[in-house]
Structure formats: structure tokens, C-alpha cells
Amino acid sequence: MINNNKIYFIHANGYPSDAYLSLFAKIKKTNVINNFNLVSNNIDIKNLKNWDPFHKNFIKSIDKNKNNIGIGHSIGGNLILRSIISSPNLFSKAILLDPTLFIPQFIIFWKLIKILRLDDYLHPLSKKTLKRKMKYDNYDLMFKSYRRKNVFKYINDKNLKIYINSITKVNTDKSLDITFPKEWEYKIYKTGISEDYYIWKNINKINIPTLIIRAKESNTFLESAEKKINKINNKNIKIITIEKCSHLFPLEIPKDISKIILDYIN
């Protein structure tokens, strides 16, 4: 039976909502799920300076309903975090899946890196994104190529196929085009981190139950961020760490994460 909760989900950069089908398979049986897409005609991606336009678009999309639950992965987790700070009256709970959040000292360092225009060279993903192959002759070739990538080492074949299906369209000659625009992905990587002082200045004010799930091997929510939040000692925030997983744990162990989410919601 569907309950009165409305879940608003924001996906990670380069991982559209359909990549999370296994994660939400059970959750959607009892909850209404609204997927927010980062790619939108409402955003001027060429002139994007930070993630605030995504945040504003998201807030506009939400029903004025106290039963809303925000869930986000990576940048999605960052945007949910911003949203429960800026508009706490819109949410009853929040669940952040390895949100992108670095400590203030790193934010200062990253601002200096950007001033020196070294961010493309030091960011682990931004430059690689622009070089990504966007077309494959057939499905098998793409699957074999992705299966070999280290980033997907913990994702089983079934969920890797779901991810590939979420980012491709099949042409009449059976070739595949990747549909998530790499220019968007690059810009999202390039415009993060610098404005996250807003979160650190206000995280102590969060007044709704908020669960942060982080990966032991995370490269976006480091142990230093966990320690800083624990030091703030906001009783509304709970952090749990998942062992033997990467930043992509929603695709790696979707059933386990789904159970954690349902237990927290209920």
C-alpha cells in the first residue's frame, strides 16, 4: 500500500535516475518517488558558476508538503543537504548517499586551485569526462568496455547493464549513443566544492532527521567530513559507514541500501 510520503530523489552526476532501478524497486512499492533530473533547459550550462541553479530548480519542483523525504546521491546528496537547510519546512526526513562535501580547509585549497586554473589537472574526473567515448558499435562492445573499468568493479553485471541502459539510446543499426551530455558532466564537476561554506555555516541548524550513508572507500565524503559533522554534535544527523564499497554503493549493493532507507523512513 502506498503511504503519504513523497520521495524526491536527485541522482549523481552522469548517473541518471534510471540507473537506480534496483535501489528503488522495493521502495517504490510503498512510496511515491519523484526524480529530479540535473539536465534541464532551465539551466545555462555554459555559464554555470556553481550548483545554486540546480538547488533553486529543485526547490521549485517540490510540493509544499511536510511529508516530503529528500534522497540524493553525490551531488544529489549535496543538493538535498542545501535544501533541508534553506527550506526545512518542505521536508520530514533526508537521506544522503555519499554526498559531495569537503571540509572548509579543503574548500579554501580548492578555491586557490581554481584561481590558479589547475582544477582541470587536479580533479580526478573532469578532464577525463571530455575525452569520453560517446558512441559504440553495439551493446556487447560497450558492456565489455565498461566491465573492464575499475570504477565499476563492485557492480554486478545486472546493475551494470541497468546503468548502461540509463545512459544510452540504441540506433537502428544497433549502435549506441551515450545520452548524458559530457559537457554537462564536465561543468558539474568543475563548479562544485567552492560554495559549500553555506552548508558548513548552517549544518548545525538542521532540525529534521537526516541520515548520511558513506562508503568506507568514498572519495567525496571523506572521514574528515564525518569527524567534523560529529564534532558539531547535531542530534538530528546520523552517519553510517558501509564497508567494502565505493562511492557507487547505491548501484553496488542496492538491496542493502534500499533496506536501510526503508527502515529509516518507517
Side-chain angles (χ1 to χ4, degrees):
M1 187 175 75
I2 300 292
N3 59 37
N4 291 325
N5 294 327
K6 271 193 175 181
I7 291 176
Y8 284 85
F9 175 68
I10 310 179
H11 60 86
N13 186 20
Y15 294 80
S17 299
D18 282 350
Y20 300 82
L21 291 180
S22 293
L23 176 67
F24 286 106
K26 192 170 182 180
I27 297 171
K28 71 180 182 182
K29 292 179 180 179
T30 53
N31 297 272
V32 176
I33 299 174
N34 299 271
N35 293 311
F36 177 82
N37 293 319
L38 295 175
V39 178
S40 166
N41 291 331
N42 296 326
I43 290 177
D44 179 8
I45 194 66
K46 289 183 179 179
N47 295 307
L48 189 71
K49 304 296 183 188
N50 54 54
W51 292 351
D52 193 50
F54 297 114
H55 171 234
K56 288 177 178 175
N57 269 4
F58 176 62
I59 292 297
K60 288 177 184 176
S61 75
I62 300 176
D63 287 345
K64 305 302 182 284
N65 175 1
K66 186 61 182 175
N67 287 324
N68 296 327
I69 296 171
I71 302 178
H73 178 213
S74 196
I75 176 180
N78 182 289
L79 295 174
I80 295 292
L81 191 50
R82 289 170 179 271
S83 299
I84 64 174
I85 290 170
S86 70
S87 307
N89 58 308
L90 294 180
F91 300 92
S92 61
K93 289 181 179 178
I95 300 169
L96 317 177
L97 310 175
D98 225 31
T100 304
L101 185 64
F102 295 90
I103 59 174
Q105 295 95 315
F106 186 84
I107 296 172
I108 294 170
F109 165 75
W110 196 250
K111 284 186 172 183
L112 177 61
I113 291 300
K114 292 189 77 170
I115 289 170
L116 297 174
R117 297 184 178 181
L118 295 173
D119 48 324
D120 273 346
Y121 301 97
L122 294 179
H123 194 290
L125 295 173
S126 64
K127 211 60 169 169
K128 289 181 181 178
T129 298
L130 291 178
K131 296 177 181 177
R132 176 177 299 130
K133 184 176 180 178
M134 297 296 285
K135 190 178 184 71
Y136 287 83
D137 289 342
N138 58 60
Y139 190 92
D140 286 343
L141 284 175
M142 183 170 182
F143 178 77
K144 288 176 182 176
S145 173
Y146 275 49
R147 185 68 286 171
R148 291 192 296 266
K149 293 180 185 293
N150 189 58
V151 68
F152 302 131
K153 64 183 178 181
Y154 294 137
I155 301 178
N156 65 27
D157 287 356
K158 175 190 171 184
N159 290 317
L160 182 59
K161 288 176 181 178
I162 289 173
Y163 169 59
I164 290 173
N165 291 340
S166 77
I167 60 165
T168 58
K169 70 171 184 176
V170 182
N171 301 310
T172 54
D173 63 356
K174 296 189 177 181
S175 64
L176 277 74
D177 292 327
I178 293 180
T179 54
F180 198 98
K182 61 183 178 182
E183 295 79 13
W184 278 74
E185 193 170 345
Y186 168 73
K187 266 291 194 175
I188 290 170
Y189 285 136
K190 196 171 176 64
T191 54
I193 302 175
S194 298
E195 302 301 320
D196 284 348
Y197 272 126
Y198 169 78
I199 291 174
W200 289 112
K201 286 178 182 176
N202 295 283
I203 200 167
N204 63 313
K205 299 174 186 175
I206 289 174
N207 61 2
I208 64 166
T210 301
L211 175 64
I212 300 175
I213 307 172
R214 69 174 293 267
K216 182 75 171 178
E217 300 177 23
S218 175
N219 57 359
T220 64
F221 189 87
L222 305 179
E223 192 174 352
S224 56
E226 178 182 11
K227 287 180 178 178
K228 184 166 180 63
I229 291 175
N230 286 335
K231 193 173 181 180
I232 291 169
N233 198 30
N234 182 329
K235 300 299 184 183
N236 291 307
I237 303 174
K238 178 182 178 182
I239 303 174
I240 62 175
T241 299
I242 307 294
E243 301 282 343
K244 296 180 181 178
C245 287
S246 78
H247 179 59
L248 298 180
F249 64 77
L251 280 64
E252 295 167 352
I253 50 168
K255 289 182 180 179
D256 295 341
I257 303 305
S258 175
K259 185 180 185 307
I260 293 171
I261 290 172
L262 283 170
D263 287 346
Y264 194 74
I265 288 174
N266 297 327

